[in-house]
Structure formats: C-alpha cells, structure tokens
Amino acid sequence: MLIKKIKELREYLQPYKADNETIGLVPTMGALHAGHLSLIKTAKSMCDRVVVSVFVNPIQFGPNEDYTKYPRTLDEDYKLCTQNGVDAVFSPSPAEMYGEGFILSNNNLTYVCPPFNYTDKLCGKSRVGHFDGVCTVVNKLFNIAQPDFAFFGEKDAQQLIIIKKMVKDLNIPVEIIGCPLIREESGLALSSRNKYLSDDGKREALVLYKILQNIKKCYKQGITDVAALKETAFTFLNNNVELEYLEIYDADTLDELTKANDNSRAFIACKVEDVRLIDNIKLGE
Ligand code: AMP
C-alpha cells in the first residue's frame, strides 16, 4: 500500500496497534538497493507490520549538495517493497512533512539538534547542520508512525550512533536496531549515490574498502597506534580519489583514541568523480 499523507498512515496503522501488533519502521530516501532490502528483511523477521518511508529529506542537505539531483525512483521502490513483504510505503511530499512554502521559511521550523561532540567530526564536519536535519525528520517519522522498532544501517554509522543518542536523551519509545553494512561483491559499499558513478569511478571507489580492510589487517597484526594505522592509507590514494576524512574512533561514542581496540571503528569519506562516498569497518570483528 502506498501512502502519501500523514493522517492516512496513522489511520492505516491504528487497528494493528489496537491489536497489539508490533510495527517496524525502515526510514529511507529511496533508490532502494540490497542494503535497504537487508533492513527490510530484518524488520520483517522482528515485526508484525513493516512500514518503509521513502522521503528525500530537504533539510538534511546543504545548499551545495545533491538534493535536487538525488535519485527518485518511487515506482521501482514501491515494487521492490511489495515484493519483499512491506505492508506500507510512506512517501510524503516535502509540503506534507514541513508545510507549504517551507523552503522559503525553513528558519521557522523546530529542529532536533544532537550534541556537538557527536556532530563536529566525520560527516558532520563538512555537512554542517546535516544531523540536525536527520534527527528532525527521524523524530517526525517516529511521531507519525510510532513504531516499536526502527531499523538503520551501519553504512551510516555516525547517523546510527546519533539516532540512538537522540532516542535515549529524548525518551522516545522505540527500539533502534542497527543492521550490518551490505557490499557489492567487489567490496564497494552499496549506496544510492553509486548511481552517479561511471564504471571507472566504481573501480576507483574500491579504494575506500581497500584502505579500511588494510587498516583492519594491520590492527589484527598488532598495530594499535591510531596515527600509524591511518598512515597506512596513503599508499592506496591517487589523484582520482579525494580524501575527506579517515578517522578511527570508539564505535559506540565516537570518542577519539590514540590506541585502537576491538571496539574501534575506522571511518572514511572520499570524493570520486565528484561523488561523496562513505564507508566504515569495525576493527575487532
Ligand atoms: P538512505 O536511503 O541512504 O538514507 O538509507 C536508508 C537506510 O538504509 C539507512 O539506515 C542506511 O544506513 C541504510 N543503508 C544504506 N546503504 C546501506 C548498506 N549498504 N548496507 C546497510 N544499510 C544501508
């Protein structure tokens, strides 16, 4: 079932909630791929009803980012969702979510702002305000669907940590389930933005995973010094890959470390063919 209005989603879910059925929410921006489908599969295994939201959230994009060109493939997304047993696809318009004319007056919106020490690093550093936009829309989706469980991918590990923090700090009655990062056979992390890459670009983009795998290998061989682990990346970089960040932080708190341990995660962001790609790996697994 395709639902575009907030009121309709509430009306649709109400009888299931009255019957004490568990509701799972999988928030997405669409252009669905196997990474999203793995979240849906986990949601199906844990919940009586599964709602997938497909919403390209304007307030999480910076002024020079790809909001207008972000792939929008609702017909295909809807088909994939029904084939995979999703009960409802919720795809509101920006006006439905934020009110008519919000673009002109988005300084007139109540935002949910996660703490600075979670957002002043990694993607938050270059994407100022991004996680305010993410937390605001996810909070709204939680208020609209009131799910028992919500599913997020470790692909966006900083986002997952920040959402967990928001839910804890604001006592939101939902359980956040983190799901493993899904890769192409080549090792490239699946992402809706991979659609922007040429075949050559996709090959170049493998550098991200190679760097992460090598860091993990070095860690397993006994190197724990974070600076030394980060140094190992430079042999992989070339002119086609622009490194934005490479960091090793605590996987739960994003605290900085001088020595890596089994609970550390390496995070990387690079631009390939002007497409911003992110990836991460847990060192201890
Ligand atoms: P997006 O549509 O990019 O906003 O992603 C929606 C959800 O799918 C987020 O929780 C992402 O972390 C998750 N996701 C995206 N790509 C992957 C992937 N390759 N593996 C696992 N989860 C993913």
Side-chain angles (χ1 to χ4, degrees):
M1 175 160 202
L2 180 62
I3 298 178
K4 298 205 163 204
K5 298 287 178 198
I6 293 167
K7 188 167 169 278
E8 278 168 31
L9 182 66
R10 287 198 168 131
E11 285 169 1
Y12 170 78
L13 290 173
Q14 199 280 325
Y16 301 124
K17 286 178 195 280
D19 278 353
N20 284 326
E21 291 199 7
T22 51
I23 311 293
L25 176 69
V26 182
T28 82
M29 297 205 300
L32 301 183
H33 51 63
H36 299 110
L37 296 183
S38 76
L39 270 57
I40 291 171
K41 195 169 172 197
T42 307
K44 287 279 299 170
S45 72
M46 290 179 61
C47 306
D48 298 316
R49 302 282 152 184
V50 172
V51 178
V52 172
S53 61
V54 174
F55 180 60
V56 184
N57 176 34
I59 67 165
Q60 72 186 65
F61 289 79
N64 298 316
E65 293 182 2
D66 56 345
Y67 173 65
T68 48
K69 76 163 189 176
Y70 195 85
R72 287 163 172 83
T73 57
L74 184 59
D75 291 349
E76 285 158 52
D77 294 344
Y78 180 65
K79 211 183 279 171
L80 272 174
C81 284
T82 22
Q83 283 164 358
N84 285 276
V86 170
D87 297 283
V89 174
F90 177 55
S91 184
S93 67
E96 177 69 6
M97 286 296 273
Y98 296 116
E100 294 291 344
F102 84 97
I103 298 258
L104 298 172
S105 62
N106 76 349
N107 57 353
N108 192 22
L109 177 73
T110 304
Y111 275 83
V112 179
C113 302
F116 187 62
N117 59 330
Y118 285 69
T119 61
D120 67 342
K121 53 187 65 157
L122 305 176
C123 294
K125 206 167 177 178
S126 64
R127 305 190 74 189
V128 176
H130 169 69
F131 289 111
D132 298 355
V134 169
C135 284
T136 302
V137 78
V138 170
N139 202 358
K140 281 168 74 72
L141 291 167
F142 288 169
N143 287 332
I144 292 165
Q146 302 189 2
D148 301 283
F149 300 94
F151 300 82
F152 293 85
E154 286 179 356
K155 160 79 174 21
D156 300 279
Q158 185 178 18
Q159 170 176 282
L160 174 58
I161 291 167
I162 288 173
I163 300 282
K164 281 185 175 166
K165 173 80 176 148
M166 173 184 81
V167 162
K168 181 166 172 268
D169 288 354
L170 300 183
N171 307 96
I172 304 175
V174 61
E175 192 174 328
I176 303 302
I177 309 294
C179 304
L181 192 161
I182 306 296
R183 300 177 182 281
E184 282 185 1
E185 224 169 286
S186 65
L188 180 64
L190 283 168
S191 163
S192 305
R193 288 190 171 93
N194 293 350
K195 290 196 171 167
Y196 301 145
L197 294 169
S198 70
D199 288 345
D200 280 349
K202 275 189 150 189
R203 268 189 294 278
E204 297 288 357
L206 292 177
V207 165
L208 280 83
Y209 188 46
K210 283 185 190 152
I211 288 173
L212 294 176
Q213 271 185 313
N214 188 54
I215 287 179
K216 185 168 174 165
K217 189 176 110 200
C218 293
Y219 169 73
K220 295 274 183 198
Q221 285 170 351
I223 303 174
T224 58
D225 183 72
V226 163
L229 287 169
K230 283 165 62 175
E231 284 278 313
T232 65
F234 290 97
T235 50
F236 293 89
L237 291 169
N238 62 58
N239 288 339
N240 299 319
V241 181
E242 188 190 324
L243 179 66
E244 181 184 307
Y245 64 69
L246 172 64
E247 302 292 354
I248 298 172
Y249 289 144
D250 181 88
D252 298 316
T253 61
L254 296 182
D255 285 343
E256 286 191 27
L257 306 163
T258 47
K259 296 274 176 219
N261 60 58
D262 281 358
N263 198 42
S264 305
R265 198 178 276 278
F267 301 84
I268 191 167
C270 293
K271 266 192 179 168
V272 175
E273 295 180 330
D274 221 29
V275 182
R276 189 173 176 282
L277 301 170
I278 60 171
D279 200 344
N280 68 81
I281 205 165
K282 183 115 178 254
L283 299 190
E285 281 169 356

